[in-house]
Amino acid sequence: MTSKQPLPVRLTRTGQPLFPWHHFTMRFSSSPRGARLARRLAGERLDAWGIPYGGDAHDVLTLIVAELSANAVRHGRVPGRDFRLVLSAEGTTLRVEVTDSRGESVPALAEPSNDLDGGRGLLLVAALTDRWGWYPCIDGPGKTVWAVLDVGLS
């Protein structure tokens, strides 16, 4: 993707944005099963917030949750510790945050190798969102990787 087109957003009758304010937080086991469950529950929550299954915004956001959750399991796993998913929506902006327990494993964009099956997740996140980043946890070991998508009209 070279240019980002705003995803369509439904407005209320008063012309207000779709999302007055929504928030969802849950912990998941640092396992492939936990990552799958995070993606599924995020999809259900987004649908409940008015971002319907099969829509562009829903597909993009569930892909972002899947990539960040898989990275938390693969690169941020500490045995016996969970990862945390936070979804929030305000106005026409949606934010995904995934917190894991390994602060020394820093996320970075890298050119993928043709010889490897992985290494493209953060490239997808960067291409599909308006901005992304990470910050170290201030209350313990670990880091939070976040991504923001604005589904508003230009």
Side-chain angles (χ1 to χ4, degrees):
M1 273 183 158
T2 55
S3 66
K4 294 180 184 156
Q5 297 294 324
L7 298 172
V9 65
R10 291 180 290 167
L11 301 176
T12 64
R13 280 184 250 170
T14 62
Q16 294 299 310
L18 176 63
F19 315 114
W21 188 81
H22 296 287
H23 188 80
F24 170 79
T25 302
M26 186 170 277
R27 289 189 173 280
F28 297 91
S29 66
S30 288
S31 66
R33 184 177 187 187
R36 285 190 305 271
L37 183 58
R39 179 184 50 80
R40 290 191 64 150
L41 288 178
E44 289 179 11
R45 181 60 48 192
L46 292 168
D47 187 63
W49 291 353
I51 304 167
Y53 284 102
D56 289 340
H58 191 279
D59 291 349
V60 167
L61 289 161
T62 54
L63 177 61
I64 300 308
V65 169
E67 290 298 336
L68 296 182
S69 297
N71 283 352
V73 169
R74 184 171 185 181
H75 304 292
R77 183 176 183 274
V78 172
R81 297 216 177 154
D82 297 337
F83 72 90
R84 181 179 66 223
L85 170 67
V86 176
L87 298 175
S88 57
E90 186 172 1
T92 58
T93 301
L94 294 129
R95 182 177 177 100
V96 176
E97 296 182 5
V98 175
T99 302
D100 64 46
S101 298
R102 293 205 39 209
E104 73 279 3
S105 177
V106 177
L109 291 177
E111 288 298 319
S113 168
N114 289 334
D115 299 333
L116 301 176
D117 290 335
R120 294 168 180 82
L122 283 179
L123 291 172
L124 282 172
V125 171
L128 294 173
T129 61
D130 294 301
R131 57 194 178 282
W132 75 277
W134 71 277
Y135 57 87
C137 292
I138 58 171
D139 58 350
K143 66 184 169 303
T144 298
V145 182
W146 58 268
V148 173
L149 180 66
D150 185 1
V151 296
L153 302 172
S154 307

